[in-house]
Amino acid sequence: MRLNNLAGLLQATGRNAEAEPLYREALEIDRNTLGEAHPDYAILLNNLAGLLQATGRDAEAEPLYREALAVFEQALGADHPNTKTTAENLEIFLASRP
């Protein structure tokens, strides 16, 4: 989670190029240690999707939002705050596309 937090800080300060590899490294660590069905993994998917969206890489962002949402729905249910947040992120993303 520390890599995720550092990546988030870098992203918040506009240092997206530095944030992306940290998100990806954290994602790989969680994939290997927690598995792809874990909510912490989904948090990282959502965060990386947000970064990719912010840098105009919509084709890469959309599947990550969708995967994160599916993990949250399966692991936590539709009413969990993380599920709702990711669903809103995906909805906003889709509404912003031409």
Side-chain angles (χ1 to χ4, degrees):
M1 250 340 173
R2 290 182 182 166
L3 284 175
N4 179 60
N5 293 343
L6 179 56
L9 176 64
L10 290 168
Q11 182 180 358
T13 58
R15 296 164 63 183
N16 295 334
E18 294 172 71
E20 184 177 347
L22 297 180
Y23 278 136
R24 291 190 184 279
E25 183 178 351
L27 194 62
E28 188 62 27
I29 290 169
D30 276 9
R31 177 184 290 121
N32 292 328
T33 59
L34 302 174
E36 294 180 2
H38 197 281
D40 286 353
Y41 179 75
I43 289 170
L44 292 168
L45 288 169
N46 181 71
N47 291 350
L48 179 57
L51 174 78
L52 294 170
Q53 179 185 0
T55 58
R57 294 158 60 193
D58 291 354
E60 294 175 69
E62 184 175 354
L64 297 181
Y65 278 133
R66 290 186 185 281
E67 184 179 354
L69 182 57
V71 171
F72 281 136
E73 287 175 339
Q74 182 66 34
L76 304 175
D79 293 329
H80 191 277
N82 287 357
T83 307
K84 289 181 177 184
T85 297
T86 301
E88 289 171 9
N89 289 346
L90 178 58
E91 185 178 320
I92 291 166
F93 168 80
L94 292 173
S96 73
R97 297 185 76 188

